[in-house]
Amino acid sequence: MSFLFGSRSSKTFKPKKNIPEGSHQYELLKHAEATLGSGNLRQAVMLPEGEDLNEWVAVNTVDFFNQINMLYGTITEFCTEASCPVMSAGPRYEYHWADGTNIKKPIKCSAPKYIDYLMTWVQDQLDDETLFPSKIGVPFPKNFMSVAKTILKRLFRVYAHIYHQHFDSVMRLQEEAHLNTSFKHFIFFVQEFNLIDRRELAPLQELIEKLGSKDR
């Protein structure tokens, strides 16, 4: 949630995606912020009673996009073509970009280029009213959950890159508490609704287990 971040983190990589005030989704976001404030993240991610799962996933996906946007925005000066010529998460994991429409065949590119492609693609999905309807009564499409899963799978890669390649910069900026809380919230959410395949989470498996064990 945005309240986790101090004013120093107000620089975002892409424009923040706002949920219209007064809308039901805005109320859901406020509910999420209130339960997050209680400190129990396992509870905070659960579907509120009587709410629609698609809508809950949509609101949280927008929120994670905004959080990652801010986190990556704080370290963009350290993530350059020279420092990160490939998009990786440690020596064993490398990501190539394809979006299935503009770029059909996966291309190898630098991390800043990959993350730019990725965040622009996510933004386009979130801005598509047929995929992420913001008006009450407009139904979610049948493929909504599979699109949301793809978005979250790709957003995870930004966390993975930051942890593996830029954690020293995060610590120098004293942003590690923000990063850890944001990632823990993200992981608990995707685990609660089984939104990312376990294999995709492998680059940060040790960290995920550590974060989870603290809550047992």
Side-chain angles (χ1 to χ4, degrees):
M1 294 294 155
S2 51
F3 72 81
L4 292 170
F5 300 94
S7 55
R8 266 190 323 115
S9 310
S10 58
K11 176 187 169 199
T12 59
F13 178 57
K14 295 276 176 195
K16 191 170 180 277
K17 170 74 179 166
N18 288 314
I19 289 174
E21 230 173 297
S23 67
H24 183 60
Q25 291 187 5
Y26 186 79
E27 296 308 314
L28 270 182
L29 184 63
K30 288 284 155 234
H31 168 88
E33 285 184 1
T35 50
L36 266 179
S38 73
N40 186 336
L41 284 174
R42 283 272 182 226
Q43 215 172 332
V45 298
M46 289 176 181
L47 180 67
E49 205 176 324
E51 293 298 344
D52 175 59
L53 178 60
N54 284 345
E55 199 150 34
W56 184 237
V57 169
V59 165
N60 281 278
T61 300
V62 169
D63 192 52
F64 290 128
F65 168 77
N66 286 333
Q67 286 187 41
I68 292 166
N69 214 347
M70 277 195 270
L71 287 164
Y72 186 66
T74 62
I75 56 115
T76 44
E77 64 194 285
F78 312 111
C79 186
T80 63
E81 302 277 333
S83 69
C84 304
V86 294
M87 174 62 177
S88 62
R92 290 174 53 211
Y93 299 96
E94 190 177 301
Y95 300 111
H96 297 176
W97 178 254
D99 58 16
T101 44
N102 298 326
I103 300 170
K104 290 192 168 69
K105 194 177 172 201
I107 57 166
K108 189 173 178 169
C109 56
S110 67
K113 190 86 185 138
Y114 184 101
I115 292 169
D116 191 17
Y117 279 136
L118 185 155
M119 296 301 266
T120 303
W121 177 84
V122 173
Q123 212 170 12
D124 289 345
Q125 311 309 302
L126 301 181
D127 288 341
D128 185 342
E129 278 287 328
T130 64
L131 275 177
F132 279 78
S134 59
K135 293 177 182 68
I136 291 177
V138 178
F140 283 85
K142 285 191 169 61
N143 68 333
F144 169 75
M145 209 50 90
S146 72
V147 172
K149 284 178 178 179
T150 304
I151 291 173
L152 293 165
K153 174 180 80 176
R154 289 176 173 173
L155 288 176
F156 167 82
R157 295 171 182 176
V158 185
Y159 280 120
H161 180 72
I162 294 172
Y163 271 112
H164 277 283
Q165 315 303 134
H166 300 293
F167 196 66
D168 54 341
S169 301
V170 171
M171 285 179 75
R172 272 202 308 277
L173 294 165
Q174 298 182 316
E175 295 286 348
E176 68 267 31
H178 292 157
L179 175 62
N180 289 338
T181 306
S182 173
F183 181 63
K184 188 175 182 178
H185 179 206
F186 177 88
I187 282 302
F188 283 12
F189 188 83
V190 299
Q191 286 175 337
E192 175 71 13
F193 304 106
N194 201 16
L195 298 168
I196 301 181
D197 191 292
R198 195 180 157 84
R199 282 170 310 185
E200 284 285 339
L201 301 173
L204 293 178
Q205 196 52 48
E206 270 180 58
L207 176 64
I208 292 167
E209 282 166 16
K210 201 155 74 177
L211 292 173
S213 66
K214 282 181 185 167
D215 266 70
R216 285 196 185 108

